[in-house]
Amino acid sequence: MNTERSRWLWVALCVASASVMLLCGWLVPMHLRAVDVSVLQRAGKGKLSVIDRCVALQREGKGDAAELILQAAQNEKIWWVGNLPSVLAQHTPDEPLFPGGPMVTSNTPVTTQVIRLANRESVLAYLKANNSPAVLELLRTRDLTNTVLFSPSSSASGQAFDAAVSVTGLLLAGNHLTPGLADAIVERAAFARTRANAQPLEEVLMDLMSLGQRLNWGQLTAFVSQIQDPHALGVLADEMRNAGAQMPVLFSAVVLSGKPDEVAKYITDFSKTGFGDLGASLRYGEGGLEELLQRHQRIYSSAQRQQWSSSGPLGLFFRAGADYALRDPVFALMVKWFFYISSGFLLAAAAHFAWPNMLEVEEPTRARGFRQARELLFALGFLLVVLLLSEPFLASESQKADFAFRFRLPMMASVAAANIAPMVKTSFMNPNSLLTLGLFFVLQGLIYCACLVKLAEIRRQNVPARFRLKLLENEEHLFDAGLYLGFGGTIVCLILVSLGIGHFTLMAAYSSTAFGILFVVVFKIFNLRPARRQLLVQSEAQAIAAEDAAITATPA
C-alpha cells in the first residue's frame, strides 16, 4: 500500500514539475521566426526615443523632417509629445531652395516647385554656374536624345527630364548625397553619354524626382542623405510611392535608423507586415528600431504572457528572459528549449511511474538504461509538438516582393515597355509544404530511434535467444508504426486538401507515406534482419548444445 501511494506521489510530483518547466519555457520571449515586443522594449531603454530625436532634429534646423517623424509617432499612438508640435510649428516656414534662389514652403514638394518654368530656369542657371565636376557631368546629359523613361530635354515635353536633373543637381551641389550614391550618378551620367544607354541614369533621376513629389526640400535631404547605392534608392522610392498613409513610418525608419539599406531589405522581405512592424518599433525609440532591423524578423506580442508576467516572481523571470533574449539570443533559445525538453522528460517519467509495476516473471526481461532513452525520445517529440503549437509565424508564407513596380511617365510607357520586362519569381515550394515535410520526417526519425532502442533492449535482455525471437515478433506492430503513421498522415492531408483547410499539397500528403516506407525499410533490412539472424544462430546453437548435454547425461 505504501509502495502504491509512493508511486502516485511521484506521478503527481513529475506532472507538477513538468507544468512548471513548460511555463518557464513559455515565459522566455525568444522565437525562431519572430522578435518579441518585450525584447524591443528592453532594447529601447537608455536610447533616444522618437520624441527626443525630433527635438534634436529641430535644434539642428531640420524641423521639416521632425514634423514628418512626429506625424508617424502620432499615427502609432505615441502621445507623450509634450509641447513639441507647437515648437515645430514656430520654425521658419519659408527658405530658399539655394542661395539666392526661389523660396519654397514646407507644404510644397520639391518637384512641384522645380517643375515651374521660372524656377526651373533659375535652378539650371545656378547649376551651370556651379564648379562641381559632378554637377557639370549631370548637366551634359540634357543633350541626350536616346532617352527611355523621359522625353529628351530638347523636346517639347522635356520639362520632366529637366526637373529631374534639377532636383538631382541641387542634391549634388549641396553635398546632400553620400559619396557612393553621388559617384554612381556621375558614372551613370558618363555611361549615358559615351555608351548610348541612358536608362540606368534615368532610373536614378526618376527615383529622386518621385521622392521630390512627396517630400519638401528639408525632408528630401534628410531622407537621401544616407542612402549608399542606387538599388536601395530604387527600393525606397518604390515603397514611398506605394506607402500611402504609411509614408511617415518609412521616412522615420530611414532617418532614425540611419540604415536605409536595411530598411529597404526589411520592407522587401516583409511586404505585407513590414510597415506595421516598423511603425510598432517606433514606440521603443531608436533602440527598438535598430534591434528589429538587426533581427530582420516580424514582431510578435502575446497579451496573455504580458498579463501573466506583469508582476511577482513570474515578472522577474520574464524580464530576465527578455534581457538574455536581447543580449544572447542563441543562449536564450537554448534555455527555452531546455525547459520544453525537461517538461517532456518529466511527463514521460510520470507515465513510467503510473504504469503498473513489472511482474516477477518479467524481471529477466528488464534492461537497465533504456527507460531513460525512451523518455528522452518522448521529450524530443514533445519539443516538436510544443514548437508547432507555440512558435509564431512558423508556417507563414514568404512576403518577399517579386519585383518592384517602376514608375514611368504615361507618355513614355510605350517606349519603356519594350525594354523593361519585370521578372516574376515563383517559389519552388511554399513554406507550409516544407513544414509538413519536415514534420513528417522528424516524426518518422523519432519512431525509427524508438525502434532502435527497443531492438537494443531486447538484445540485451537476460533470456534465451529463442525467447528474444518471440519478443521481437511481439514488437512487429511497433516496428511497423512508421507505416501506420505514414498512411495516417497521408489520409489526413488528403482530407484537409479536399475540404480546403490549410495549404497542404499532394506532394506533402504523399511524402508522409514515402517517409514511412523509407524508414521502415531501412530499419527492417539494416537493423532488424541482422539482429534476428544473430538470434536465430544463437537459438540453434543453444538447442544443439542442449541436445548434446542431454545425450551426454543419458546413461549408456
Side-chain angles (χ1 to χ4, degrees), residues 235-429:
V235 174
L236 291 174
D238 180 72
E239 295 298 339
M240 187 69 77
R241 284 189 286 267
N242 301 321
Q246 296 290 340
M247 186 188 73
V249 171
L250 178 59
F251 178 87
S252 302
V254 171
V255 175
L256 294 179
S257 68
K259 301 175 181 177
D261 295 345
E262 295 185 12
V263 174
K265 190 174 186 304
Y266 190 88
I267 293 295
T268 302
D269 291 345
F270 302 102
S271 57
K272 297 179 181 179
T273 60
F275 281 116
D277 289 343
L278 287 174
S281 68
L282 295 179
R283 303 172 188 171
Y284 312 107
E286 291 185 354
L289 176 60
E290 292 176 0
E291 187 67 21
L292 177 66
L293 295 177
Q294 181 181 355
R295 298 288 182 97
H296 201 75
Q297 294 174 328
R298 295 173 60 182
I299 294 180
Y300 173 74
S301 177
S302 173
Q304 292 180 346
R305 183 163 54 195
Q306 294 288 342
Q307 182 179 0
W308 278 52
S309 60
S310 58
S311 61
L314 294 181
L316 293 175
F317 182 86
F318 176 76
R319 287 189 291 272
D323 287 336
Y324 277 108
L326 174 63
R327 294 193 301 242
D328 195 344
V330 176
F331 177 75
L333 189 62
M334 291 174 60
V335 171
K336 184 185 186 75
W337 288 10
F338 170 77
F339 282 128
Y340 285 156
I341 291 177
S342 300
S343 177
F345 191 86
L346 290 170
L347 287 177
H352 167 74
F353 287 117
W355 198 263
N357 291 329
M358 189 175 291
L359 299 177
E360 183 177 355
V361 71
E362 297 177 303
E363 282 297 326
T365 63
R366 184 191 297 272
R368 300 181 59 183
F370 290 96
R371 177 176 67 85
Q372 290 78 9
R374 287 193 294 269
E375 291 172 353
L376 180 59
L377 288 175
F378 178 85
L380 293 176
F382 182 80
L383 171 65
L384 177 63
V385 173
V386 171
L387 291 180
L388 290 175
L389 295 177
S390 63
E391 278 293 327
F393 318 129
L394 195 59
S396 298
E397 296 183 357
S398 174
Q399 301 181 18
K400 191 169 184 177
D402 293 325
F403 64 93
F405 172 75
R406 174 65 62 180
F407 174 78
R408 302 181 182 88
L409 296 179
M411 59 185 175
M412 291 290 101
S414 59
V415 179
N419 297 310
I420 304 176
M423 301 295 295
V424 180
K425 298 180 180 179
T426 57
S427 59
F428 173 72
M429 190 179 302

Side-chain angles (χ1 to χ4, degrees), residues 52-90:
D52 293 336
R53 187 62 185 275
C54 288
V55 173
L57 289 173
Q58 191 272 334
R59 291 175 179 173
E60 295 172 5
K62 301 178 180 179
D64 294 331
E67 282 185 352
L68 201 54
I69 296 176
L70 178 62
Q71 181 180 344
Q74 292 175 335
N75 291 342
E76 295 298 326
K77 306 297 187 294
I78 302 176
W79 302 116
W80 53 93
V81 297
N83 61 344
L84 183 60
S86 58
V87 173
L88 292 177
Q90 295 174 3

Side-chain angles (χ1 to χ4, degrees), residues 213-236:
Q213 287 181 302
R214 291 158 178 82
L215 304 173
N216 62 35
W217 179 246
Q219 295 166 353
L220 178 63
T221 56
F223 187 79
V224 302
S225 61
Q226 299 187 59
I227 299 178
Q228 299 294 332
D229 57 81
H231 174 72
L233 174 65
V235 174
L236 291 174

Side-chain angles (χ1 to χ4, degrees), residues 101-180:
M103 304 297 292
V104 295
T105 63
S106 59
N107 296 325
T108 306
V110 179
T111 303
T112 303
Q113 288 288 93
V114 171
I115 206 168
R116 296 173 184 171
L117 179 60
N119 293 341
R120 189 169 70 254
E121 292 178 348
S122 176
V123 171
L124 292 174
Y126 168 74
L127 294 177
K128 289 178 181 178
N130 194 284
N131 295 324
S132 171
V135 175
L136 296 178
E137 182 67 35
L138 178 65
L139 290 176
R140 294 190 188 101
T141 59
R142 297 180 64 218
D143 298 330
L144 296 174
T145 58
N146 59 338
T147 55
V148 177
L149 305 181
F150 292 95
S151 293
S153 174
S154 57
S155 66
S157 55
Q159 63 270 21
F161 186 79
D162 283 344
V165 170
S166 299
V167 172
T168 306
L170 287 174
L171 292 172
L172 287 172
N175 295 321
H176 297 299
L177 300 179
T178 60

Side-chain angles (χ1 to χ4, degrees), residues 9-26:
L9 181 61
W10 277 107
V11 170
L13 183 61
C14 288
V15 171
S17 301
S19 302
V20 172
M21 289 293 180
L22 183 62
L23 178 62
C24 290
W26 179 66

Side-chain angles (χ1 to χ4, degrees), residues 488-505:
T490 298
I491 293 172
V492 170
C493 288
L494 291 177
I495 292 175
L496 294 179
V497 169
S498 63
L499 295 178
I501 301 175
H503 301 278
F504 297 98
T505 61

